[in-house]
Amino acid sequence: MDLTVRGVVRRFGPVTALAGVDLTVAEGELLTILGPSGSGKTTLLKVVAGFEIPDEGTVRLGSEDVTLAPPRQRDVGMVFQNYALFPHLTVAQNVAFPLEMRRMPKPERDRRVAEALALVELAGYEARLPRQLSGGQQQRVALARAIVFNPRLLLLDEPFGALDRKLRESMQLEVRRLQRRLKLTTLFITHDQEEALILSDRVAVMNAGRIEQVGTPGDVYARPATRFVADFVGESNLLEGRASGDAAAEVPGLGRIALARAAGAAGDRTTLLLRPEALRVGAEAAALPNRAHGRIVETVFLGLSVKLRLRLDGGLELLARLPLRPSEPLPAAEGETVPLGFAPEDVHVVGG
Amino acid sequence: MSSVAEARAAPSRARPDPERARERTLLLLAAPALLVLGVLFVWPLLRLLSMSVADGTLAQFEKAALDSLYIAVLWDSMEIALFVTAICLVLAYPVSLWLVQAGRLGFILGMFFLLLPFWTSVLVRTYAWMVLLGRSGVINRMLRDWGLIEAPLPLLHNLTGVLIGMVHVLLPYMVFPIYAALLRIDPDLKRAAEGLGAPAWRVFLRVTLPLSLPGVFAGCALVFVISLGFFITPALLGGGRVIMIAMLIEQQVREFLDWPFAAALATVLLAATLVIYAALGRLTGGQAHAAR
């Protein structure tokens, strides 16, 4: 069922955790709330789950206003950060808990539990206690418990944080598959921008109690609406300068930069975003309209790519990310000065 | 466990093992206390126990087992301890629940009243109860003034008085373990239960109560075992009509100077206590394990 949050404000004494949040999650969509700690994303989750009552605004599930409804009446499945499995109950009893609360007859309950455990590939683990399971298995139990009663909405509160990298990636894909298959409307909370980009239909970037931008992962990455989004999502070179009126801008340390379109009226302050992978290094830079020279001050090997920190004459530093193929050597070593260049189309005017 | 210890111990011949050194230092720190306990407690206890078999036979134990008085008193003592434990549990659980969610001020006030009996001498506390509970004591007079009763209630020099006095002192021993167990429960578990559709009373029955059981068992074991050896409170508030095993032992020593027999009774009490402790400990251990 679709979720609509309108004008939600939540204050804790002098602190405003949510400063007017509007958000819509369409039926069957996975929307990620991405933000640093303290951005208000956890408070928003609690408001949606019913553990916090907002000072202003409304929360709707479908057409029903649930702003003041207690959690037990919301039919919302939630996977907690630490899973919150009942330690004294077996896997099957944990998963059966929401069905038991709904007074479902035992035969049907057992059938649904078996189904849910099969979905998360934990058939055969019914009689185990949570502490007898690995972190990944515990998370699957938590997931099974959250979906077994066909919730109207699924909430995921940073569920992958405690897992090691490999397991995290496979769990992410598994959750995504399951969510698509069951067409579950899902609100996912994370501070990990990579995770947000991989998993989401849409991403809402939160900062200081507000949503700064909502869009597809591609949108948010390539066309950030604010400086915060540009900085928080992915790696970035943020260039401060002034618009020249035509399709160009004046950036201290780089000079005049050609843009795909005007960045504002002549003299306006502007922030330009250049992703590290759009910055060319070496011979291929020569043919591009925007050129400079930089000395390589740091090289970081990342497996599939290499990251270079380059210092320009004026002291300005730029990051470049170059694909790495085993057959090709690095274009230059640390300490060398290399030509740089980038295309006008690869420069995004932030907020423009 | 032992194989790990061995593996670690093997190379330690050649070089100093920091873990070992640390253990030695810790032992040294505990040494003064261990010495005091050994000299003033363990040694006299062993002396007393050896007295019960001083004549080389088990005659003293035979006497205790054959005389129905002693068996009856031991049985009564256990019954009283059981009553005290049950009453403490019923009173302590709600108090613990309240303490866990009370604000700072409520917590301090609650703790103050709970710990008050600890700051008062046993005699003062017990005589204060006599003033309150007597036939013309504060409580009876108040109830009569209000017209709630005609004749004074028998509150003193009977089982009721003993129970009131004992529960008063022992309540904290029940509250603290339960409070600690409740405090250890992850608040997200209650949230999860609520979110999954449980109303408050079902959250309590299905999550809070089972997870607090280790504390309940620990509290019951403490209160029961301490009750079993109570002496001053039942002696004064029971008015001679309630006899517990500790009073009987004291009587053997003071009136009949029968040290060997007193030692035998003490040994029986100690053994009974240890058995109950072990049994409850096993139950508690299993529970604590399941709750983790």
Side-chain angles (χ1 to χ4, degrees):
Chain A
M1 202 170 285
D2 57 305
L3 167 76
T4 314
V5 175
R6 280 285 161 267
V8 162
V9 174
R10 180 73 177 111
R11 300 181 198 93
F12 298 103
V15 182
T16 303
L18 296 175
V21 171
D22 292 293
L23 188 68
T24 306
V25 187
E27 174 137 27
E29 182 183 38
L30 193 156
L31 186 135
T32 299
I33 306 281
L34 172 66
S37 52
S39 60
K41 58 186 193 302
T42 302
T43 308
L44 179 59
L45 184 86
K46 284 184 174 170
V47 165
V48 172
F51 301 128
E52 291 277 353
I53 301 292
D55 297 317
E56 291 168 36
T58 58
V59 179
R60 281 172 183 285
L61 275 170
S63 57
E64 187 192 343
D65 186 337
V66 295
T67 314
L68 302 174
R72 66 171 189 280
Q73 287 170 9
R74 295 195 181 201
D75 258 334
V76 169
M78 177 159 171
V79 177
F80 288 74
Q81 201 164 3
N82 57 3
Y83 316 141
L85 295 177
F86 303 124
H88 56 303
L89 301 182
T90 64
V91 167
Q93 286 170 330
N94 262 284
V95 177
F97 190 91
L99 306 178
E100 195 188 316
M101 293 304 131
R102 284 162 178 75
R103 302 184 187 282
M104 184 180 282
K106 181 129 174 61
E108 195 187 346
R109 206 199 295 165
D110 289 347
R111 191 177 54 74
R112 295 272 286 269
V113 169
E115 258 175 38
L117 284 176
L119 263 180
V120 296
E121 287 163 22
L122 274 182
Y125 287 80
E126 286 82 357
R128 303 250 190 129
L129 287 171
R131 70 187 147 82
Q132 296 167 321
L133 302 178
S134 70
Q137 290 169 333
Q138 288 183 18
Q139 180 169 63
R140 285 174 213 222
V141 177
L143 191 62
R145 190 179 66 175
I147 60 175
V148 72
F149 58 103
N150 290 329
R152 297 195 277 183
L153 177 71
L154 178 64
L155 300 178
L156 304 169
D157 183 13
E158 309 223 15
F160 307 114
L163 305 177
D164 64 63
R165 196 186 168 87
K166 268 212 157 127
L167 188 59
R168 187 163 65 220
E169 282 172 7
S170 78
M171 279 308 297
Q172 284 167 355
L173 294 176
E174 200 170 318
V175 166
R176 183 62 168 145
R177 268 200 301 273
L178 205 64
Q179 184 267 336
R180 287 219 170 123
R181 197 160 128 202
L182 303 175
K183 299 191 175 59
L184 274 167
T185 311
T186 305
L187 192 62
F188 174 58
I189 304 282
T190 186
H191 65 271
D192 184 334
Q193 45 100 10
E194 209 175 314
E195 196 166 270
L197 297 180
I198 295 172
L199 279 175
S200 324
D201 291 317
R202 283 192 304 151
V203 179
V205 184
M206 255 191 112
N207 182 33
R210 283 174 209 285
I211 290 179
E212 299 234 341
Q213 185 177 6
V214 185
T216 63
D219 248 1
V220 171
Y221 185 79
R223 287 174 291 282
T226 66
R227 197 194 150 90
F228 175 83
V229 176
D231 197 33
F232 192 70
V233 179
E235 284 184 311
S236 50
N237 294 302
L238 285 169
L239 309 170
E240 303 292 345
R242 287 189 186 278
S244 60
D246 53 352
E250 202 63 46
V251 175
L254 264 176
R256 188 179 156 85
I257 288 178
L259 303 174
R261 59 194 172 85
D268 280 358
R269 287 175 147 276
T270 181
T271 302
L272 307 174
L273 167 67
L274 175 67
R275 292 290 181 196
E277 60 273 20
L279 184 63
R280 312 285 162 187
V281 175
E284 53 179 336
L288 294 165
N290 298 312
R291 283 187 302 273
H293 283 271
R295 190 162 54 82
I296 302 175
V297 289
E298 193 179 40
T299 311
V300 181
F301 178 72
L302 296 167
L304 289 173
S305 63
V306 63
K307 194 162 77 179
L308 302 178
R309 198 150 57 85
L310 301 142
R311 188 171 292 149
L312 276 58
D313 279 345
L316 187 70
E317 283 195 0
L318 293 178
L319 286 177
R321 194 176 186 139
L322 313 179
L324 209 56
R325 289 177 208 90
S327 55
E328 286 176 26
L330 274 179
E334 252 170 55
E336 283 181 54
T337 299
V338 289
L340 314 169
F342 50 95
E345 304 77 50
D346 285 336
V347 182
H348 171 70
V349 180
V350 175
Chain B
M1 192 58 191
S2 66
S3 68
V4 173
E6 275 160 28
R8 219 174 27 198
S12 79
R13 288 203 181 287
R15 26 185 119 155
D17 181 345
E19 190 67 22
R20 274 278 176 86
R22 221 176 77 88
E23 273 167 26
R24 219 171 296 143
T25 313
L26 289 178
L27 202 64
L28 219 59
L29 286 172
L34 288 176
L35 206 68
V36 169
L37 264 182
V39 172
L40 297 180
F41 179 71
V42 179
W43 176 241
L45 184 70
L46 290 175
R47 280 287 305 274
L48 181 74
L49 296 185
S50 68
M51 255 183 225
S52 64
V53 288
D55 56 359
T57 66
L58 293 174
Q60 301 298 342
F61 289 97
E62 209 181 317
K63 184 174 158 194
L66 291 179
D67 192 325
S68 63
L69 169 72
Y70 304 115
I71 301 298
V73 169
L74 187 63
W75 199 244
D76 280 355
S77 304
M78 291 212 179
E79 224 172 65
I80 292 173
L82 206 65
F83 274 139
V84 172
T85 307
I87 297 170
C88 278
L89 179 59
V90 170
L91 293 178
Y93 205 100
V95 171
S96 310
L97 271 179
W98 174 76
L99 274 177
V100 169
Q101 52 82 51
R104 216 181 128 69
L105 187 69
F107 181 80
I108 291 171
L109 275 176
M111 281 294 160
F112 176 77
F113 285 116
L114 265 176
L115 292 174
L116 207 54
F118 283 166
W119 299 332
T120 327
S121 114
V122 202
L123 282 172
V124 172
R125 196 175 57 221
T126 310
Y127 281 117
W129 274 118
M130 292 169 87
V131 171
L132 286 173
L133 299 174
R135 278 184 68 82
S136 49
V138 175
I139 291 174
N140 269 321
R141 226 178 310 149
M142 215 162 63
L143 290 175
R144 229 170 342 171
D145 287 352
W146 290 346
L148 290 170
I149 53 168
E150 311 235 303
L153 295 174
L155 297 175
L156 194 62
H157 301 316
N158 57 16
L159 186 60
T160 313
V162 173
L163 289 182
I164 291 175
M166 286 176 75
V167 166
H168 180 219
V169 198
L170 292 172
L171 197 58
Y173 291 101
M174 186 67 88
V175 171
F176 289 129
I178 297 179
Y179 170 75
L182 287 172
L183 207 61
R184 268 200 306 271
I185 300 176
D186 179 357
D188 269 352
L189 291 179
K190 283 182 220 167
R191 273 192 213 119
E194 251 183 282
L196 293 168
W201 65 275
R202 298 192 89 173
V203 175
F204 176 76
L205 284 184
R206 207 79 172 87
V207 179
T208 311
L209 184 63
L211 288 176
S212 67
L213 282 184
V216 169
F217 284 127
C220 287
L222 263 177
V223 171
F224 185 84
V225 165
I226 299 174
S227 299
L228 215 46
F230 250 53
F231 173 66
I232 295 176
T233 308
L236 292 178
L237 295 179
R241 258 173 277 176
V242 179
I243 298 172
M244 290 186 75
I245 186 87
M247 294 155 70
L248 213 58
I249 295 170
E250 191 258 6
Q251 192 188 39
Q252 291 305 322
V253 172
R254 199 171 41 116
E255 286 178 24
F256 308 124
L257 292 172
D258 192 348
W259 281 87
F261 187 54
L265 287 178
T267 307
V268 170
L269 175 62
L270 185 66
T273 307
L274 288 177
V275 166
I276 290 159
Y277 220 67
L280 273 169
R282 178 163 259 191
L283 209 59
T284 316
Q287 275 296 322
H289 204 56
R292 209 170 295 133

